[in-house]
């Protein structure tokens, strides 16, 4: 039953190496056959560490290999859409890191190519696969909260990314809050109609000079009547803050932060506990494993991927709506974004 | 030093009886001399229980008594403004339950009367005196959080008030969220410039028929750049939910709910803990005591009351701005409200 | 129904003043008519603060007053037994602080006097009336834990008492752990058969010179098979540590410490929470009120007091067994103590 | 630097397969070359899953292979001592699951063989490598608690082992509490002088018929004056309960249980949280990885293993002392056990 799937990784940066390591050692039923990177040296180093049989600079070598059944796209964001189209044309199943693109036309073209080729596409909204949030969704689906009235998401990074990244990332609503938009849709199980965003530069004026903000609060109105707030900060000095709360007619569920230990130290000063796990690699390791296992399962069992093309597209639209709302200081209908 | 202050209570409803009981037994330096209520029977019953020397139907008997130094106004909201003016004219110091009025002109007239008479006026924003929130404010004032970036207030009642109350209360923004507007100002230590409100009827259609909503989410923008969200629900099935979180450049502080015990019961099903204290009487008893002690202190020491006339007025303005924002689906500047 | 009971307090030390203040202001159905103290000045000061009508140096004035229905004995421990006998002979109901005496013959004589007079006697094991522990007992009684297998009590003071007190107190097993012996019996609902005690002087050598220890760990074996451990320290730098855990065939229940607030402060260093309420006055105020209300209820309703003469005697026996076990380094049967 | 170490696993039962999987995939610098089991089929199945090059029924094939540098002994307890001696004679470094033997003579012979051969021996007290307990030890070592006064260990299994196992395991003090004896020594950093044990059959009479007990409470007195209690139960219905608390002159540290998520669900009934991770595989996975990495590190760097032969022997002595104490109902000096 658990026939192995031959997988290759495109892009040997941080997230590419992470997926490669998982595919090499921790995902049953995957055979990692190749890795490519435009910086050949990066691919080679990774291949040596993980005993990956083949290494390339040119991803087309991977797409031309008939034995490769699936590719994991971890290259820079601006290459995602065209790589998806190429891989789909080559008949490969595709796992792609988010976002597909910042431009909706490019996303739509990529999704059309996937559709035409009849291959699987799963996008890397890994937080859905975290034990806390997937269980929270089950609780909601099972009706334990009754009708959902209010959703609150707090999502704060321990430190801002480099300014160079911010300049090309699309800004806080597309590089950071996009995860929270996805989480909101995932948990509420419905679509957002209106977005209202406020924000400010509070942490680093350089972020402002790059045209972005570092602190943002967004209100979402869902079609089903649920109201949601998301707050983002690019720097929480106490670490990666990833909390969600869902409130409904029959109850509330909260996900608190995960910590390295469950120790509590009481001295004459205070009772002290651990800060949250530092950042996404520490916090979400298990979710990266689970999402990749889910991807392979949907290939082997020929089922719908748990994160679809629509799931990839809508948060980008929401991010654009949030940006427009922030710029124009007014609530923006998601339908306004074309 | 602690010379006694002669105090009389006007209004023997639930909150009047609560303040009377505190003044009778638990506030050092207070002498409760009289109570009045338009329903004489209510005043009489309370007086008997607490051994209050004098009982009246007409509050003017209290104001005419030269021995009474201070009055505690707990009558229905529509009488507050005129009672303040009368009490001020009679030279009495005044503690008044919130709000002074729903009409700004009436508030301003009452405050002018207080000003003219040179008496003290303290308004009953009792939550400021809760140990959690007063300590939180100290932490903020001491700079332990650095610059404040985000404030989050969750305030949910265990059950909606009677529909009859909702019809005259001014609606959720003025009867319920007004406490949170005060809390936000109190903690941030600054004024709000813009308000954006969304809301819905999710709990009881009768509330909608009465022209109100039962679920609301509001975004505040402070002059100092702090962003705040407040969410209100008129019914949290798990009890009175009163949580606040302040996030700044140097840290975060959270106030969780108070519970009847610290017990944890672990069975084969789950680990279970207490729900929050049921409602404001259980949750805020100590804060009612502390606010009244503070009122008496400011009389005896001739100092500024800790909740001033401005503190009474501004949250009403904010509530009106929130209502307007909700109705017009746009951010409203507080300055728009005249 | 709630006819008032006339009560007088004997002893105006710390605990006497605490009970007097409660009786004066916070216990419905009590009328505090008098207070006495061998140091007249102490009684007088207290009476003035609380408006107590009569003040005496000699407690016999209280016992001779036919209007006094009940006395609250808060004098020094060595006077408890004889005061109980006197008060019983005078037909007064008696609330007495623990212990009745350190000598079993004296306890038995006092209990016999109470028996002969047919008055009520309640002893001040106040912790039984704490919301955490009374609820814990209910959970056990209701069978939610099934059969009780293991009980763990941690009881640590924030600072040692004066050496002068330790010299006459009977030592740690009788002045401190006696509360835990009572708690163990109260929760388990059964009697202890064997006691094993170890201990040491770890905090202050002066305590050792006074013939006592400051750190102790005791194992109890109940007749019904339940095993219990108690640990005591005379100094926990983080404050008054009062935790209990009961473990049975169907579950476990834990009582954690109560704290001044529910705040949590997260900085780059750690997440910090409050230390426990500092000492017994802060921690157990409500339990002192509840025990006194229960005492008055059992007078008015002519029911058995919730803490009986047997409850007063057995923990003293257990304390003596623990001391003997510690001295002889062997398990001691409670039946050995005559 | 990280030259690979060739390792073989002896015994393909549950714990053998767990170590094999870790060595195959998750331990850098290990090359898993072979596995053996007296049930060849078990070894073969494991080898197939993990791509282990060689499979044997006879462990001597492993010991005869000059390329094997280290063995991981996971066979049944009664074979540990002789396998250690054989492996040492063959010049292999040894990781052995605990205990080496229930008989002290056999342990001493095995340790002598290791000594004579000059190979490394590390014993599988995996809990030392748990993030909670290793951090707790650091806190103690750094002096943050001052002098250690009291240590409390709670260790309860979710379900009893099969009766067949209990008959040969040496009983609760040697098959279960042995981990806690090790933990106590590890944390206190000193040796125990006296042991006092009480216990009972409360869960299953069959356990009693097998000559064992299922509930035990033990008091330890350390040479340095620290007092410790350990409580064990073979069945906690709420799951694997692994808590430790250390109390000293300057503070206290507690390790609470780890849980699958940090969710909290509040309904009208209660606030519910997760039960502890179910059993040792779920709870201690990371510690098994860390201990194996430590074993390989001490081979590569030629350092002392973090769990030595003495660490393997002393808890067996303590277990025997506890059993004797339980049988004779008296404190037993560890020195009595020869």
């Amino acid at each position: 039953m658990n026939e192995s799937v031959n997988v290759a990784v495109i892009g040997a940066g941080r997230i590419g190496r992470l997926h490669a390591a998982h595919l090499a050692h921790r995902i049953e039923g995957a055979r990692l056959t190749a890795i490519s990177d435009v910086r050949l040296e990066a691919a080679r180093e990774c291949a040596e560490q993980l005993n990956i049989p083949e290494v390339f600079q040119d991803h087309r070598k991977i797409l031309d290999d008939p034995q490769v059944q699936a590719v994991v796209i971890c290259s820079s964001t601006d290459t995602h859409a065209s790589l998806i189209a190429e891989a789909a044309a080559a008949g490969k199943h595709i796992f792609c890191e988010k976002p597909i693109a910042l431009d909706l036309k490019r996303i739509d073209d990529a999704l059309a190519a996937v559709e035409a080729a009849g291959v699987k596409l799963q996008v890397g909204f890994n937080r859905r696969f975290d034990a806390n949030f997937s269980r929270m969704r089950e609780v909601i689906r099972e009706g334990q909260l009754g009708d959902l009235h209010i959703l609150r998401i707090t999502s704060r990074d321990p430190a801002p990314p480099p300014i160079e990244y911010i300049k090309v990332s699309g800004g806080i609503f597309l590089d950071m809050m996009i995860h929270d938009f996805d989480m909101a849709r995932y948990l509420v199980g419905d679509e957002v109609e209106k977005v209202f965003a406020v924000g400010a530069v509070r942490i680093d004026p350089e972020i402002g000079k790059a045209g972005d903000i570092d602190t943002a609060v967004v209100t979402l109105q869902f079609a089903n009547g649920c109201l949601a707030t998301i707050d983002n900060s690019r720097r929480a000095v106490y670490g990666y803050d990833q909390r969600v709360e869902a409130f409904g007619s029959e109850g509330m569920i909260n996900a608190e932060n995960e910590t390295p230990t469950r120790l509590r130290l009481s001295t004459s000063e205070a009772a002290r506990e651990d800060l949250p796990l530092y950042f996404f690699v520490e916090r979400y390791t298990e979710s990266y494993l689970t999402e990749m296992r889910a991807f392979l399962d949907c290939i082997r069992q020929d089922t719908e991927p748990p994160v679809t093309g629509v799931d990839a597209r809508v948060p980008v639209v929401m991010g654009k709506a949030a940006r427009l709302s922030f710029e124009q200081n007014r609530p923006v209908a998601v339908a306004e974004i074309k």
Side-chain angles (χ1 to χ4, degrees), chain A residues 148-153 180-195 219-230 314 318 334:
Chain A
L148 219 52
H149 294 177
I150 299 170
L151 181 77
R152 298 194 337 173
I153 299 178
D180 307 305
F181 291 140
D182 179 63
M183 182 59 67
R185 291 180 70 244
Y186 172 68
L187 291 174
V188 176
D190 196 34
E191 296 297 346
V192 167
E193 291 184 337
K194 275 188 238 159
V195 177
T219 305
L220 305 177
Q221 293 177 267
F222 280 83
N224 68 7
C226 183
L227 304 174
T229 67
I230 301 170
V314 174
M318 292 169 72
V334 171

Side-chain angles (χ1 to χ4, degrees), chain A residues 126-334:
Chain A
N126 61 293
R127 293 184 196 170
R128 291 186 176 208
F129 300 89
D130 176 77
N132 287 278
F133 303 126
S134 57
R135 177 72 192 124
M136 182 179 283
R137 189 195 195 214
E138 275 176 42
V139 165
I140 293 168
R141 285 285 167 104
E142 292 162 9
Q144 292 193 51
L145 305 186
D147 294 328
L148 219 52
H149 294 177
I150 299 170
L151 181 77
R152 298 194 337 173
I153 299 178
T154 286
S155 181
R156 301 169 187 156
D157 284 353
I163 294 293
E164 293 314 306
Y165 172 79
I166 286 176
K167 285 178 181 166
V168 301
S169 72
I172 196 168
F173 299 113
L174 282 166
D175 75 26
M176 186 171 168
M177 201 177 280
I178 193 169
H179 274 293
D180 307 305
F181 291 140
D182 179 63
M183 182 59 67
R185 291 180 70 244
Y186 172 68
L187 291 174
V188 176
D190 196 34
E191 296 297 346
V192 167
E193 291 184 337
K194 275 188 238 159
V195 177
F196 178 72
V198 293
V201 178
R202 300 299 305 274
I203 292 160
D204 183 354
E206 292 303 315
I207 292 172
K209 287 182 197 158
D212 198 13
I213 54 178
D214 50 37
T215 303
V217 170
V218 165
T219 305
L220 305 177
Q221 293 177 267
F222 280 83
N224 68 7
C226 183
L227 304 174
T229 67
I230 301 170
D231 72 81
N232 275 190
S233 169
R234 289 201 185 271
R235 188 176 67 211
V237 294
Y238 52 86
Y240 195 40
D241 194 347
Q242 296 282 296
R243 287 171 293 149
V244 177
E245 170 179 323
F247 169 80
S249 57
E250 302 301 326
M252 169 176 69
I253 190 163
N254 307 73
E256 289 299 315
N257 285 310
E258 297 278 353
T259 53
T261 73
R262 295 284 178 117
L263 292 172
R264 186 177 174 88
L265 173 63
S266 300
T267 66
S268 58
E269 300 297 320
R272 304 200 304 171
E273 297 188 351
D274 278 359
L275 294 176
L277 290 165
Y278 182 67
F279 212 168
F280 63 93
V281 172
E282 293 82 6
R283 172 67 177 82
Y284 286 123
T285 298
E286 286 299 318
S287 76
Y288 287 115
L289 279 165
T290 310
E291 72 173 359
M292 198 54 74
R293 286 183 185 125
F295 175 58
L296 291 169
D297 282 352
C298 80
I299 292 173
R300 276 191 300 258
Q301 294 159 23
D302 193 16
T303 52
E304 176 89 338
V307 191
T308 66
V310 170
D311 295 331
R313 186 187 197 277
V314 174
V316 176
V317 175
M318 292 169 72
K320 289 176 181 288
R323 178 74 201 183
L324 187 62
S325 171
F326 167 69
E327 286 170 356
Q328 302 190 347
N329 186 33
R330 65 170 180 92
V332 167
V334 171

